[in-house]
């Protein structure tokens, strides 16, 4: 069955990949690739209204909607039209065998009038509900806990300068709700009420989206090699996954801001299972013993790329350049010793991350991480002209979702699936691809100049904002 999937109008690039990931989570391996999409007539790709066909029954649709962060609801579409007369004709043509089981005298129901791009007054809502007399509702109205919820959703034929995706014609949908999102999640986990956060703490909504892309669920082990204040692991733990983390700064994972304000207190605050362990570890020199592999079900992280916090690796500049010999920390200073570190370029960091994931992820495991992108001179997505995303022979890229952060800068959430076992030959090919990637990498990223690329004024004056449409999506 084709369902009407109504999204929240935000993080547009993330919407479909999240539904496909959750389909994979609840319906099994390979099911995400069988999800089909199409747009309602006269609707733009950035519209919140999409038609979707899932490889399962209504229970799958309800599970996907309830777990999703960006799906407002999934509906069995009974009819649609550009006027209420066309809507009535469309609903009347919908098969009775599909409608009548939800209109019985024993059932309770509620009708909700919703809109996008316009405001409908209470009086207009009542008039719309009273006009639905052609639908033979026989049950009782229950506004608190109805058995069935029906929605009338209306879009307006507004112009293109109000910040919303353009719509050619007004459209009205009528449908029965199959599943709806749980929007109590984000207020509970919002960062402003969390005990321990830092300058790079991941936004709660994005952390949960990353956990969904990583298919976090009970019985799975999720690892974050750049754990920081633990925001991503908190989201994974909420969905029942076991968690582990590491960070090069021992003060972050051990001390925090005191005994009652640290990574552990974040899990205690939400009554979540604590991580199995938090390691002081260097992504460039991982602590895993030789021969250990295929341990994690997902690696979900936000690598440092030099805007709010630069990447660091063990060694120090003098030690790496050979000016200073390796040293042994005296026994009496080991408890409080902070090892020297040196700058860690993004290209090297991502290479080490892919190497770690190829070795430590189970087959079919997911690697989910952010990767920075410099936008075009006009503020448009420059991915088509920029170097390709990092690659590895063990992985298949299944989703890339852009989040615009500024006029000149955005980041892309990459989701990769492990499709090949890690071997010595694979490691050799990966090293060759890494060298090619470094050679072709843009200088602003390779040399660690991302901060100046973001914060320095553009050389060319920006175009007059008044002459540009407010809508920043793509027109098709």
């Amino acid at each position: 069955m084709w369902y009407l999937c109504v999204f929240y109008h935000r993080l547009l690039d993330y919407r479909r990949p999240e539904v496909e990931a959750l389909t994979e989570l609840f319906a099994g391996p390979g099911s995400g690739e069988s999800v089909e999409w199409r747009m309602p007539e006269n609707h733009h790709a950035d519209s919140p209204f999409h038609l979707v066909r899932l490889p399962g029954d209504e229970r799958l649709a309800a599970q996907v909607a309830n777990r999703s962060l960006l799906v407002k609801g999934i509906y069995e579409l009974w009819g649609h039209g550009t006027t209420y007369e066309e809507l009535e004709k469309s609903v009347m043509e919908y098969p009775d065998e599909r409608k009548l089981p939800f209109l019985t005298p024993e059932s309770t129901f509620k009708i909700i009038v919703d809109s996008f791009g316009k405001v409908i007054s209470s009086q207009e809502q009542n008039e719309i509900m009273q006009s639905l007399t052609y639908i033979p509702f026989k049950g009782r109205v229950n506004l608190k806990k109805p058995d069935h919820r029906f929605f009338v959703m209306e879009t307006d034929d507004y112009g293109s300068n109000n910040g919303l995706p353009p719509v050619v014609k007004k459209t009205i949908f009528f449908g029965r709700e199959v599943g709806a999102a749980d929007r109590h999640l984000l207020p509970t986990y919002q960062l402003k009420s969390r005990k321990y956060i830092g300058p790079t703490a991941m936004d709660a909504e994005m952390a949960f989206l990353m956990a969904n892309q990583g298919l976090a669920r009970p019985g799975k082990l999720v690892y974050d090699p750049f754990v920081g204040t633990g925001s991503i692991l908190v989201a994974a733990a909420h969905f029942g996954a076991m968690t582990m983390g590491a960070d090069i700064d021992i003060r972050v994972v051990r001390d925090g801001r005191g005994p009652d304000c640290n990574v552990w207190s974040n899990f205690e605050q939400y009554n979540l299972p604590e991580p199995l362990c938090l390691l002081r570890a260097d992504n460039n020199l991982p602590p895993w013993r030789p021969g250990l592999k295929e341990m994690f079900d997902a690696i979900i992280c936000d690598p440092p790329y030099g805007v709010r916090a630069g990447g660091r690796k063990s060694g120090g500049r003098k030690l790496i350049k050979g000016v200073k010999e390796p040293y042994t920390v005296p026994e009496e200073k080991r408890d409080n010793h902070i090892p020297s570190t040196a700058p860690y370029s993004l290209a090297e960091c991502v290479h080490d991350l892919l190497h770690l994931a190829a070795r430590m992820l189970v087959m079919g495991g997911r690697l989910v991480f952010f990767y920075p992108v410099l936008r075009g001179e006009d503020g448009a997505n420059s991915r088509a002209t920029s170097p390709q995303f990092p690659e590895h022979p063990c992985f298949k890229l299944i989703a890339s979702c852009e989040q615009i952060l500024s006029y000149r800068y955005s980041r892309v959430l990459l989701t990769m699936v492990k499709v090949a076992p890690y071997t010595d030959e694979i490691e050799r090919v990966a090293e060759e691809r890494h060298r090619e990637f470094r050679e072709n990498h843009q200088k602003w990223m390779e040399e660690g100049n991302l901060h100046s690329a973001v914060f320095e004024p553009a050389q060319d004056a920006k175009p007059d904002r008044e002459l540009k449409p407010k809508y920043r999506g793509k027109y098709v």
Side-chain angles (χ1 to χ4, degrees), residues 438-459:
R438 285 180 66 102
E439 292 171 0
N440 295 330
H441 214 253
Q442 290 183 10
K443 185 177 181 180
W444 65 271
M445 188 176 293
E446 177 60 34
E447 299 297 329
N449 292 329
L450 184 59
H451 185 280
S452 57
V454 175
F455 292 105
E456 284 185 359
Q459 293 181 359

Side-chain angles (χ1 to χ4, degrees), residues 11 13-14 199-207 210 232 301-303 305 307-308 369-375 381 383 389 400-406 408-414 444-445 450:
L11 297 172
D13 245 14
Y14 291 73
T200 60
M202 183 62 66
D203 171 71
E205 182 176 36
M206 189 57 67
M210 296 173 75
I232 293 174
C301 60
D302 182 25
Y305 33 83
V307 176
R308 288 181 293 176
F369 67 100
F370 272 110
Y371 188 76
V373 173
L374 189 65
R375 298 177 63 78
N381 188 336
R383 279 189 280 171
F389 297 130
S400 59
C401 310
E402 184 187 24
Q403 180 186 17
I404 300 173
L405 299 181
S406 72
R408 304 183 62 198
Y409 167 59
S410 65
R411 62 181 182 178
V412 179
L413 184 66
L414 302 179
W444 65 271
M445 188 176 293
L450 184 59

